[in-house]
Amino acid sequence: MTEVLMIPGPIEISEAVQRAYSIAPPSHLAPHVIEAFGRSLERMREVWCASPDAQPFVIAGSGTLAMEMAAANVVDPGEHVLVVNTGYFSDRMAEMLRRRGAVLTEVSADLGDTPGEEEITAALESADFKAVFATHVDTSTGVRVDAEMISRLATAHDALSVFDGVCATAGEAFEMQAWGADIYLTGSQKALGLPAGLALLVASKDAMAAREELDSPPPMSIDFHQWLPIMNAYEGRGKSYFATPATTMILALDVALGEILDCTHGDATGIAARIAQHEHVASAMRQTWAALGLELLPASGEIAANTLSAIRYPEGVGAELVGEISERGVIVAGGLHPELKTEYFRVGHMGDVITRRDALIKTVEAVEGALIAVGVEGISPGTAKAAFEAALAN
Ligand code: PMP
């Protein structure tokens, strides 16, 4: 049986992306690698909705490395930072900042919710913050923060804004330039539609300037200053070397970004269309979970992510549901946040799979079949498919 990988990363990828990296590894100086690298950097600005003077970086590594790169390039030891904390990955960001020697203030809400504008404003007024850090979508809770509001508040308080977009970039609206955000970072294995292996971020002019003003330089391997000439060389289609790039992944990145920019959905094109597709599928998923009598972990549909559903187990059901779903050929994930781990499961819906109706229907049918198999009553077979298709048709 072919399995469908519906965890919140790594994810199903397109055949074209798979073909792009399934080759003998080329040199980092090969002309087609240089071209793919340079074009990927240009395409990142489009996908990130970033200004022409914003600087993209791509290095070998995972999302965690991109988080570390952001923290170490804009904050000096002893500086105040605000963390808008919505779960497990915000906790990770906070710990990284502590290790960098930053003085932390955290603003949070009950798990499954986000702090509001008033609380964030009050927190911002409590000290002179260098930067605000937030997790755009915390994969542990399926909660999305209002990144536009946080960016604007940070700017109004003369602080930089840094967003962990690992579970959001290319699946959730993010207008880096229009909102005045300073760093948006991600890993390759989520909504960008690649395997794991690349750490990616785009830094604003102010974030680049913040690096130059640091007293304590970041570790060399993640230093903006060290990587800038390399990114410039690739964008100018020239040869360069600092640390070996993941060349096959760069070829695949070019293809994945190209697929995103080629999207159409209604009148929308490019990244706007890709995000609209994610919104459309996420809404259909949520309507299907409701039809099955399931409840979401996020406190409201408004803050529920496009990229995954975090769903509470029904009364009397636990992790055996995930096993039952996998027996039906669909791999989903259990809970992640240590405080609630046993109370919910997660279904990823991001990247190429959102265009594959068959895989999406297989997913909702597997959840329905598993619920019936573990003894949940009152579900008539066919409910999930009917609800999903009806929602998708709207
Ligand atoms: N931030 C978020 C929101 C994530 O979902 C993840 C990965 N699940 C990470 C950071 C860490 O990324 P990686 O596992 O690629 O290091």
Side-chain angles (χ1 to χ4, degrees), residues 10 39 43 45 56 69 75 85 152 221 238 244 250 252 283 300:
R39 194 165 44 214
R43 288 179 162 171
R45 282 195 198 85
M69 191 173 189
V75 181
N85 192 323
R152 294 195 194 284
S221 62
T244 309
I250 296 294
S283 159
S300 72

Side-chain angles (χ1 to χ4, degrees), residues 40-41 44 48 56-63 65-67 69 163 165-166 169 183-189 192 194 197-202 249-250 253 257:
S40 294
L41 296 171
M44 279 172 71
W48 267 242
F57 292 92
V58 180
I59 65 174
S62 76
L65 193 76
M67 293 168 74
M69 191 173 189
F163 294 90
V166 176
T169 308
I183 294 186
Y184 195 39
L185 66 93
T186 193
S188 49
Q189 77 278 20
L192 285 182
L194 295 147
L198 297 178
L200 309 99
L201 67 77
V202 177
M249 283 292 291
I250 296 294
L253 175 64
L257 294 172

Side-chain angles (χ1 to χ4, degrees), residues 104-124:
L104 247 77
T105 302
E106 290 185 63
V107 55
S108 56
D110 292 340
L111 271 180
D113 212 341
T114 69
E117 182 161 357
E118 275 177 27
E119 288 134 296
I120 298 173
T121 305
L124 271 166

